[in-house]
Amino acid sequence: MKFSNYFLPTLKNIPADAEIISHQLMIRSGMIKQSSAGIYSWLPLGLRVLKKIEQIVREEQNKAGAIEILMPTIQSADLWIKSGRYEEYGKEMLRIKDRSDREMLYGPTNEELITDIFQSYINSYKDLPKNLYHIQWKFRDEVRPRFGIMRGREFLMKDNYSFDLTKEDAKISYNNMFKAYIKTFLRMGLTPISLRADTGPIGGDLSHEFQILANTGESTLYYDKDLESLDPQNLNPEKLQSYYAAVDDHHNENQCPISKSQLKISKGIEVGHIFYFGTKYSEKLGGYVQNNKGNKIAVHMGSYGIGVSRLVGAIIEAFHDDKGIVWPTQVSPFQVSLINLMPENNKCLDASNKFYSQLINHKIEVLYDDREVSIGKKLSDNDLLGFPYQIIIGSKNLKDNLVEIKVRKENFIEKFNPEDAINFIKTQLNTII
Ligand code: ATP
Ligand code: MG
């Protein structure tokens, strides 16, 4: 993509209403535009990140055996009246009436709808277990939408729902998802910390929250430092759940079961939450199957959520410096910035155009900064955008047949001849999982 053809409105100044760094950087790098409180348009660059995160989430769900569907955003109130949550959900639920005065709502979550789909088609224990997910926009009329897309009113969530015959089987599904969650966050370059959580209004007796470490996070986490060095190939959910981890209001120094030297304290951001809630919804909404003795049994359910749009902000909170965003390669909107410092110089133009076609031929995602703006603006904009590699082309280096590569993470610059430059980037990108 050529910058001059793209739609990428960068801003130099920090927007006045953006309190936290990820919100500031997302506005400054032209990723989102607020349309009303807690509701945002995703501009091209932001959308690329959102899609990449969504895709990682999808791949890990599929690998774990969950099956993708798509449920609507608008739901009828009927099922919610049956489950008892229509009143209980209160003002967070956006309620709408259609032209025939029927009560509808914009879904804040989908336990009711999915149980209804399940009960319409599944009648026998032989069809269990089942695990269905979708990635869909939710609406919650939060009391205080804030921090940009981190606490929005409209936000993208991956939510899935497991159905099992017994509690024991449901725990297997739960642990399977637990593992998939850790893998998902590790693949994004994040450090996930799982914590035992309250089940809240969803009900049930088992729940974990997943936070990712970020210095600017809202919660303070106390946890076993071994949780920081997990091997994605070798994850044991039961063992992971036995490690100590707590948010500050649950942590008591005198009752902490691990030694001071093993305890770490860091800031975190919640990005996922999983629940086992037994037969709460299946009993109310007809989620019964026949067991092998012909008896009708209410299925044991779990629900599992990942804040896909919140992750965009959370990743920026975890990875930025004073110049801008420092994207982990796996979710970076582009892999390479190709920066032509002197578009008016024919040699620079030829060399840059050549690089551009080579990068495209190698299927490397490149944003070619061909704009006629000052060198200073070009360099600072590209640091702000924070793609992992920058190829910088200037006339002085070209005379020696050299270009510069900047590795954004280390802000480290090295000179290469053009061929080696492409090979260096290819090698670096191939090492990413
Ligand atoms: P919170 O305590 O942050 O309000 P929650 O317990 O209401 O979260 P869940 O209903 O479990 O959240 O939703 C699953 C995930 O969806 C959360 O872990 C979070 O990442 C994301 N999420 C929840 N509310 C919002 C929101 N208002 N804006 C963006 N993402 C959200
Ligand atoms: Mg909430």
Side-chain angles (χ1 to χ4, degrees):
M1 176 59 65
K2 285 189 178 171
F3 207 131
S4 59
N5 295 339
Y6 205 34
F7 186 81
L8 178 39
T10 57
L11 277 184
K12 190 159 182 240
N13 295 325
I14 298 175
D17 59 340
E19 288 172 63
I20 59 164
I21 192 77
S22 60
H23 189 194
Q24 295 169 1
L25 290 171
M26 286 182 79
I27 305 272
R28 286 185 55 211
S29 60
M31 293 175 68
I32 50 169
K33 180 182 181 341
Q34 184 175 320
S35 73
S36 57
I39 304 180
Y40 290 85
S41 296
W42 291 79
L43 304 183
L45 201 74
L47 185 61
R48 285 181 77 98
V49 181
L50 190 67
K51 291 280 173 201
K52 287 197 175 182
I53 292 173
E54 186 182 324
Q55 190 53 24
I56 292 177
V57 170
R58 175 176 288 117
E59 284 171 18
E60 294 304 321
Q61 287 294 306
N62 293 345
K63 275 191 220 162
I67 301 161
E68 187 167 11
I69 61 171
L70 185 59
M71 289 177 270
T73 54
I74 306 289
Q75 305 180 22
S76 151
D78 298 352
L79 295 171
W80 288 77
I81 293 168
K82 265 196 203 166
S83 77
R85 283 210 293 182
Y86 194 53
E87 291 311 318
E88 193 183 293
Y89 222 95
K91 287 196 158 184
E92 256 192 38
M93 183 188 276
L94 180 67
R95 295 149 205 264
I96 317 162
K97 280 201 174 144
D98 70 8
R99 65 201 297 161
S100 322
D101 246 8
R102 268 186 294 258
E103 289 182 58
M104 313 288 285
L105 56 101
Y106 195 122
T109 179
N110 283 58
E111 281 79 8
E112 283 77 0
L113 204 56
I114 194 83
T115 311
D116 187 55
I117 293 174
F118 175 88
Q119 69 85 23
S120 305
Y121 303 105
I122 308 274
N123 304 306
S124 163
Y125 74 97
K126 289 181 188 155
D127 296 323
L128 298 183
K130 277 281 170 288
N131 187 336
L132 303 172
Y133 77 97
H134 75 161
I135 302 175
Q136 177 64 293
W137 294 91
K138 305 286 185 287
F139 193 94
R140 293 183 186 173
D141 206 347
E142 300 274 354
V143 189
R144 208 156 75 85
R146 60 187 187 281
F147 306 151
I149 45 78
M150 294 254 270
R151 183 167 298 280
R153 294 200 294 166
E154 191 182 42
F155 59 96
L156 189 61
M157 198 204 283
K158 183 286 301 169
D159 41 324
N160 60 316
Y161 304 87
S162 62
F163 303 88
D164 284 280
L165 190 64
T166 64
K167 185 168 180 176
E168 291 66 46
D169 290 349
K171 291 230 160 115
I172 296 172
S173 298
Y174 183 92
N175 283 341
N176 183 35
M177 273 301 122
F178 184 99
K179 192 164 146 180
Y181 270 41
I182 299 277
K183 279 191 173 176
T184 303
F185 301 129
L186 287 174
R187 253 187 87 183
M188 294 172 195
L190 297 163
T191 309
I193 303 291
S194 54
L195 306 104
R196 196 64 198 237
D198 301 331
T199 49
I202 286 202
D205 59 4
L206 180 61
S207 173
H208 283 87
E209 205 176 273
F210 294 80
Q211 302 238 3
I212 57 98
L213 296 185
N215 290 334
T216 44
E218 254 197 317
S219 349
T220 305
L221 310 177
Y222 294 78
Y223 56 92
D224 191 314
K225 71 175 184 202
D226 287 358
L227 288 172
E228 281 188 1
S229 43
L230 303 181
D231 170 8
Q233 306 308 328
N234 189 13
L235 295 170
N236 176 344
E238 266 134 9
K239 181 155 180 246
L240 289 179
Q241 289 165 22
S242 72
Y243 280 103
Y244 181 73
V247 285
D248 49 0
D249 37 343
H250 290 166
H251 175 75
N252 180 332
E253 207 178 311
N254 301 320
Q255 286 167 10
C256 181
I258 59 172
S259 70
K260 264 214 162 110
S261 59
Q262 193 64 18
L263 184 72
K264 276 215 66 175
I265 308 171
S266 305
K267 296 280 185 185
I269 299 170
E270 185 198 317
V271 291
H273 205 160
I274 64 177
F275 302 86
Y276 160 72
F277 48 74
T279 57
K280 179 175 169 178
Y281 297 95
S282 51
E283 279 177 20
K284 289 193 172 128
L285 294 160
Y288 291 88
V289 295
Q290 277 197 338
N291 69 6
N292 60 359
K293 298 193 179 74
N295 301 325
K296 281 204 147 190
I297 306 280
V299 291
H300 287 255
M301 291 175 59
S303 75
Y304 314 86
I306 291 184
V308 175
S309 51
R310 179 180 288 182
L311 270 165
V312 180
I315 289 172
I316 297 174
E317 292 292 333
F319 302 107
H320 65 268
D321 62 16
D322 55 352
K323 298 186 173 70
I325 307 172
V326 184
W327 289 112
T329 307
Q330 305 86 309
V331 297
S332 182
F334 290 91
Q335 296 165 321
V336 172
S337 297
L338 173 62
I339 308 171
N340 181 0
L341 294 179
M342 298 168 190
E344 68 292 344
N345 172 308
N346 282 336
K347 284 208 172 111
C348 289
L349 188 64
D350 286 347
S352 303
N353 287 343
K354 202 166 157 202
F355 260 107
Y356 185 51
S357 8
Q358 280 180 339
L359 290 165
I360 289 173
N361 288 342
H362 283 102
K363 301 206 160 40
I364 294 171
E365 297 167 350
V366 53
L367 183 69
Y368 174 12
D369 195 346
D370 59 338
R371 292 174 303 166
E372 297 196 358
V373 297
S374 74
I375 290 180
K377 176 160 172 61
K378 243 177 217 177
L379 294 175
S380 61
D381 271 359
N382 281 285
D383 280 349
L384 168 69
L385 297 174
F387 312 152
Y389 304 99
Q390 300 176 1
I391 301 177
I392 305 171
I393 298 181
S395 65
K396 206 165 145 231
N397 281 324
L398 266 191
K399 281 194 186 123
D400 304 324
N401 194 32
L402 292 172
V403 298
E404 284 182 340
I405 290 186
K406 176 163 168 180
V407 180
R408 179 67 182 85
K409 195 164 147 203
E410 282 102 26
N411 282 317
F412 155 85
I413 295 186
E414 202 177 318
K415 291 181 184 178
F416 287 89
N417 70 46
E419 204 171 294
D420 291 344
I422 297 269
N423 287 334
F424 172 80
I425 286 182
K426 267 183 68 183
T427 315
Q428 295 286 312
L429 292 176
N430 279 337
T431 60
I432 306 294
I433 33 161

